[in-house]
Amino acid sequence: MTLTPPPLRNDCFALPAGVDWTPVDVALDHLRQTLTPVTLSEVLPLGECLGCVLAEDVHAARSNPPQPNTAVDGYGFAGPVADGPQIMALVTGRAAAGQAYDGEVPHGTAIRILTGAALPQGVDTVILEEDVSSDGEKIAFRGPLKKGSNTRKAGEDACAGDLILPKGRVITPADLALASATGLPELLVRQPLRIGVLSTGDELVESGMQAAAGQIYDANRPMLLALLTQMGFVAIDLGKAADDRTALRAHLDSAASKVDAILTSGGASAGDEDHMSALLRESGAMQQWRIALKPGRPLALGLWKGTPVFGLPGNPVAAMVCTLIFARPAMGLMAGASWAEPQGFDLPAAFEKRKKPGRREYLRARVRDGKVEVFQSEGSGRVSSLSWAEGLVELADGAGEIKPGAPVRFIPYSSFRL
Ligand code: AMP
Ligand code: MG
């Protein structure tokens, strides 16, 4: 059942030639068309499927409900019932959930019935207990009552054979309820995508170590490891690499054999110390993506010995935004998931901003009193802004002038599965 998926094509990151600053949507469409699942599939019991990606369409094994039953506690009989006062004799016995009544209820008589009980033969309608008076031998109530009142039809939720969960879906707690209710004890899911995270830069020091003048503590690696974990991937700490081509090459070589994809930060532009892009270029399967995005700067995307590498910019804000906007849906496809489109909401702005044309912008934002606030600085090194924010405001590619009260698109972090 578990075939090894084909490798990614060498040109999977090749954007159309001749494009200089690529619009965000063009770049996303490209990833969407070229990336394919790289993980194996396995059958897991339902209890282990939460957060896993479905490897095939799932169909109900049994209808839910399997047979007609009552939605309330009350009395069952054959409907409909005409307008006006009614009296019906009660049959002996009762029908309860899990305790079917074997006999047939004769026309014109009623049976005591409790929520979830399968409707006995001769019963298609139920009256609420609260609307009835009873002496234990007969009941009195007032019509009219439509046939089928207070009952659930067989298969009204799902019929045996119905497609209940599509391939590529990330399993939620409610999906587990649906699979279980329709008779499925296990599912065919993808093994999780293993993603290595590497920081690059001579200036980086581990938090807790002594930092010399000019050195900074690594912000990206703990953030990226945690982002990937929350998104349902297996995040693997690859440590940090100096700005040295030989050392970086060794890091990538050892990572490529251990993980399904590599996420690096730093050194992704075209400068003297941008060794990540230089190395990927050497490997022959590298694309420098100049995306019309703020905060963004270039991304270096390539294959290292067949393993995809996402070279993120070093600035923490750009690293996080590029992970949410590009790496998440791209890695989702490699993990076998369907394309992840973050859901945003239009809400009134609590800020003012004039925006230049020609690039998409993401602002660090949060909602207070129903209005969207943005962080006071757009600086791309402001780690505190990422922590302050609870989502992003997405400003369309064209020029724009936002006045307080105007609607803006807010995408909560939770829309990225955070
Ligand atoms: P680079 O993309 O390597 O040119 O780095 C851009 C900026 O991000 C520089 O100011 C770096 O010091 C900073 N930077 C790079 N990597 C990290 C990191 N892991 N944590 C915090 N800042 C970083
Ligand atoms: Mg650097």
Side-chain angles (χ1 to χ4, degrees):
M1 199 74 206
T2 63
L3 287 179
T4 307
L8 294 176
R9 284 175 24 190
N10 239 14
D11 62 352
C12 65
F13 295 128
L15 276 177
V19 179
D20 192 8
W21 288 92
T22 308
V24 171
D25 287 339
V26 172
L28 288 175
D29 277 348
H30 181 81
L31 291 172
R32 188 173 186 169
Q33 277 156 29
T34 55
L35 291 173
T36 48
V38 299
T39 49
L40 298 173
S41 309
E42 61 184 340
V43 174
L44 287 185
L46 275 192
E48 293 170 34
C49 290
L50 181 64
C52 293
V53 174
L54 271 181
E56 62 179 5
D57 284 345
V58 173
H59 300 269
R62 190 184 195 220
S63 296
N64 184 49
Q67 62 268 105
N69 66 42
T70 173
V72 298
D73 285 352
Y75 297 86
F77 39 77
V81 174
D83 201 2
Q86 309 287 334
I87 294 198
M88 285 186 192
L90 278 175
V91 301
T92 320
R94 56 168 214 168
Q99 295 168 24
Y101 178 82
D102 288 339
E104 182 168 350
V105 177
H107 198 87
T109 64
I111 183 171
R112 175 84 175 123
I113 192 165
L114 301 172
T115 305
L119 299 185
Q121 266 195 21
V123 173
D124 57 23
T125 304
V126 175
I127 186 157
L128 267 174
E129 183 167 289
E130 292 88 320
D131 296 341
V132 172
S133 42
S134 168
D135 62 3
E137 297 199 341
K138 52 190 180 316
I139 55 171
F141 62 95
R142 188 164 281 281
L145 204 61
K146 282 194 207 129
K147 182 173 164 157
S149 292
N150 298 312
T151 66
R152 306 168 178 143
K153 293 188 193 64
E156 71 174 26
D157 186 30
C159 285
D162 277 358
L163 172 67
I164 51 165
L165 298 167
K167 176 178 174 172
R169 182 175 173 89
V170 179
I171 308 283
T172 66
D175 295 344
L176 297 179
L178 182 56
S180 181
T182 53
L184 300 164
E186 54 191 27
L187 297 171
L188 184 70
V189 296
R190 296 268 177 188
Q191 289 176 354
L193 191 77
R194 296 159 51 82
I195 307 173
V197 176
L198 180 71
S199 289
T200 73
D202 281 345
E203 73 279 32
L204 300 178
V205 191
E206 298 294 304
S207 192
M209 307 285 280
Q210 192 70 35
Q215 293 190 309
I216 60 168
Y217 291 120
D218 188 343
N220 290 344
R221 194 146 45 92
M223 172 176 76
L224 295 174
L225 287 167
L227 282 174
L228 295 175
T229 305
Q230 281 197 322
M231 290 170 181
F233 304 111
V234 173
I236 294 156
D237 191 345
L238 301 177
K240 70 181 169 69
D243 285 323
D244 170 272
R245 232 160 269 193
T246 314
L248 194 51
R249 189 179 282 118
H251 264 99
L252 293 178
D253 280 347
S254 102
S257 61
K258 284 199 297 228
V259 298
D260 301 315
I262 303 171
L263 197 59
T264 71
S265 66
S269 307
D272 294 351
E273 291 295 338
D274 288 320
H275 301 287
M276 184 55 64
S277 47
L279 272 185
L280 286 174
R281 203 173 300 112
E282 254 176 45
S283 84
M286 140 85 180
Q287 289 295 321
Q288 189 89 43
W289 279 28
R290 300 181 72 220
I291 297 167
L293 169 69
K294 184 185 172 196
R297 310 283 305 152
L299 290 179
L301 302 186
L303 294 180
W304 187 266
K305 307 215 158 136
T307 301
V309 179
F310 280 72
L312 301 168
N315 277 309
V317 175
M320 177 154 163
V321 168
C322 289
T323 299
L324 299 184
I325 304 299
F326 292 103
R328 173 181 175 261
M331 293 191 171
L333 287 184
M334 286 189 271
S338 39
W339 184 253
E341 200 90 57
Q343 291 301 310
F345 308 89
D346 285 345
L347 290 171
F351 62 95
E352 209 166 337
K353 181 178 163 70
R354 182 171 284 190
K355 179 189 166 296
K356 287 192 207 143
R359 67 182 182 198
R360 178 88 45 97
E361 284 192 33
Y362 290 95
L363 310 176
R364 285 136 276 166
R366 64 186 193 184
V367 178
R368 289 292 179 272
D369 300 326
K371 296 200 181 89
V372 182
E373 302 175 348
V374 294
F375 195 67
Q376 87 259 5
S377 154
E378 292 188 13
S380 154
R382 301 291 285 263
V383 183
S384 60
S385 67
L386 297 171
S387 167
W388 173 92
E390 293 164 8
L392 300 173
V393 158
E394 181 180 71
L395 302 179
D397 298 6
E401 186 157 0
I402 296 144
K403 298 265 187 228
V408 287
R409 173 56 53 99
F410 176 72
I411 308 174
Y413 281 159
S414 58
S415 285
F416 301 100
R417 269 192 78 189
L418 305 185

